[in-house]
Amino acid sequence: MIATALTIAGSDSGGGAGIQADLKTFSALGVYGTSVITAVTAQNTCAVTDVHPIPNATVEAQILAVLGDIRVDCIKIGMLGDAGLIETVARALAEYHGPIVLDPVMVAKSGARLLPDAARAALVEHLVPRADLLTPNLPEAAALLGMSEARDSTEMQAQGALLRDMGAVAVLMKGGHAQGETCTDWLIADATYRLDALRIATRNTHGTGCTLSSAIAAHLAKGLTLPKAVEAAHGWLHRAILAADALEIGKGHGPVHHFHEVWT
């Protein structure tokens, strides 16, 4: 029986992030993907020019439709626009008992906040405690905690532990925003795991956060333990970034190559 996963996220018309990145990732890793769209965006590799939120009732109806018919082995949750939507998603998932990967999309690459304070509080109250894995980058971890960004590995581990105290089973602190030749992520769970990768000189990194969280969800859906799922997804994403420049998509920050193991 094929593994299945559900992504709850926004649509990226440029195809590099959001629902599109998640479904590509699921497919590339041999998992059947289902989806719930929370917003429709007009965007490409250069800019986001419009955002149209999907009504909360329609988001809830999508979730209930999928879960009412299809066995879902893991759920990945991406960008949610406001407190009302966060509460809607939490309510719709009340009877779901499988693993959940929560990617707290809160801060844009430009540094702009994507969630108002009320939505941040709702995320902490309603969804963080439901997460088997929380996957913040450094600005997002700082925003969730109301602290300054972690400056080194010691602070990254400490912030990960604080986020875990909020109720998440485990936290993956992503080090992509840090400096240095090596990018280090820390998985804070019952034990602590370090994942290193050489930093790749490329501008084509659009959707890396979405892709990593959905790759972890795919591996969890296939039955891997959390540390093994994170390790496998981490290596797979690194190879997808290495292959990204070969795509030559758009004039701005292009996507990673989700199908680098399938076609070039």
Side-chain angles (χ1 to χ4, degrees), residues 120 126 167 181 185 190 228:
R120 183 198 64 82
H126 297 290
E181 294 183 357
D185 296 349
D190 291 336
K228 291 295 185 182

Side-chain angles (χ1 to χ4, degrees), residues 80-143:
L80 303 173
D82 58 35
L85 179 57
I86 290 167
E87 293 170 9
T88 295
V89 169
R91 181 174 64 250
L93 296 179
E95 301 301 318
Y96 178 75
H97 301 295
I100 294 176
V101 177
L102 176 60
D103 184 14
V105 183
M106 300 174 61
V107 183
K109 290 187 185 299
S110 65
R113 291 289 181 95
L114 300 176
L115 281 183
D117 287 342
R120 183 198 64 82
L123 195 70
V124 169
E125 178 180 356
H126 297 290
L127 287 180
V128 170
R130 292 292 314 277
D132 291 84
L133 180 66
L134 182 69
T135 64
N137 59 33
L138 299 186
E140 288 160 352

